Amino acid sequence: MIKAILWDVDGTLLDFLAQEEAAIRNCFKQMNLGECDDEMLKDYSYINSTYWPRMERGELTKKEVLVNRFVEFFGKYGIDTSLAEKFNSLYQTKLGETIRFMPNGLEVVRNLKGKLIQCAATNGTKMAARRKLSLSTLDQYFEYIFISEEVGYEKPRIEYYDVILDTLKGIDKSEILMIGDSLTSDMQGGNNAGVKTCFYNPSGKKYETDLRIDYEINNLNEVLDVLIVEL
């Protein structure tokens, strides 16, 4: 029986791509950098997606990820790369101001309140994560919030999950479910920690992995079906 859920936030409960788009457009406008069109946004999103796995593998620090992704992006479009750090600081603020839920995200978390322990487990920055959780009201439904900057380690490192398991002591690993949209962060982290895993794959993307995935869902409503199976 599942007694605790570890929820990834960005891309699982909240629509990160929509938040990212709104935040970057706002930053370009505020810093007078011209228009960030759809093609530029697509390029940035791809560049960004290549940096986080490198951090998860221990090749880059989070600060290097946060700044260097914009250095690479700006360099491609002839924008002054010395502005990357300032841009990232503003971006963290704007990212936390934009709230878009994934379908049924809020409803499922709200439905499960009081029925089991719900925790946020995110690699998002402290500034952006705290603002998003507050403005979205998700923080009202979580017993614990584990933000990597506060924990001191990033998903999927076992040290990150050690902090969670110590906090949830008394609950067996087999009674904890990690739900997320990332194979390299959430599913790998769940495997490292020895907890059950649920891969949220809304687009039904094809993939190959040696990771143990206990459940795969396309809609967050299916989490309720998973919990029934676990009874």
Side-chain angles (χ1 to χ4, degrees):
M1 180 177 180
I2 298 300
K3 295 182 179 179
I5 290 179
L6 309 179
W7 286 104
D8 172 56
V9 178
D10 292 322
T12 301
L13 292 175
L14 296 179
D15 186 341
F16 179 74
L17 292 180
Q19 295 171 334
E20 175 183 80
E21 176 181 335
I24 289 181
R25 289 190 192 277
N26 285 337
C27 289
F28 263 71
K29 182 177 181 180
Q30 189 163 327
M31 291 183 64
N32 298 312
L33 297 177
E35 180 187 2
C36 185
D37 60 30
D38 291 345
E39 189 63 30
M40 292 172 70
L41 281 168
K42 183 178 178 181
D43 282 344
Y44 167 74
S45 188
Y46 172 75
I47 290 170
N48 182 52
S49 71
T50 67
Y51 274 82
W52 292 96
R54 294 166 66 188
M55 182 195 73
E56 292 160 5
R57 293 192 298 267
E59 299 169 5
L60 296 173
T61 66
K62 176 174 278 188
K63 183 175 182 180
E64 288 172 331
V65 170
L66 297 178
V67 176
N68 291 351
R69 58 186 178 171
F70 287 120
V71 170
E72 181 176 341
F73 176 52
F74 285 1
K76 181 174 181 178
Y77 287 94
I79 301 171
D80 184 357
T81 57
S82 70
L83 296 174
E85 190 162 356
K86 179 180 179 181
F87 189 93
N88 176 68
S89 295
L90 180 61
Y91 173 71
Q92 297 305 321
T93 300
K94 296 299 181 183
L95 193 62
E97 292 176 352
T98 305
I99 303 301
R100 306 280 176 82
F101 281 97
M102 296 299 285
N104 302 307
L106 180 59
E107 292 80 0
V108 170
V109 172
R110 182 185 290 152
N111 182 280
L112 293 175
K113 183 174 174 60
K115 298 177 182 177
L116 42 66
I117 294 174
Q118 297 189 89
C119 310
T122 177
N123 275 349
T125 65
K126 178 180 177 179
M127 178 187 295
R130 286 288 175 186
R131 288 179 64 82
K132 282 188 281 189
L133 291 172
S134 175
L135 291 175
S136 67
T137 73
L138 282 170
D139 59 351
Q140 299 178 21
Y141 303 99
F142 294 136
E143 278 76 12
Y144 302 102
I145 294 173
F146 299 100
I147 300 172
S148 59
E149 282 187 12
E150 297 177 344
V151 171
Y153 300 97
E154 312 283 341
K155 295 183 294 183
R157 289 186 58 173
I158 186 59
E159 294 91 342
Y160 176 89
Y161 287 91
D162 283 343
V163 173
I164 295 177
L165 295 174
D166 185 61
T167 302
L168 299 178
K169 55 189 173 185
I171 299 179
D172 191 79
K173 291 181 180 181
S174 65
E175 299 171 325
I176 299 174
L177 180 68
M178 175 77 229
I179 303 175
D181 68 310
S182 170
L183 292 171
T184 57
S185 176
D186 305 313
M187 300 301 99
Q188 181 67 66
N191 277 211
N192 290 347
V195 302
K196 290 184 176 177
T197 57
C198 178
F199 180 42
Y200 176 48
N201 186 13
S203 62
K205 63 184 177 184
K206 303 298 182 182
Y207 60 91
E208 293 184 8
T209 183
D210 294 328
L211 294 171
R212 187 197 74 254
I213 296 177
D214 296 294
Y215 301 98
E216 181 173 337
I217 60 175
N218 303 116
N219 189 299
L220 292 176
N221 272 339
E222 296 174 63
V223 170
L224 303 178
D225 297 327
V226 169
L227 294 177
I228 289 174
V229 170
E230 287 288 334
L231 288 177

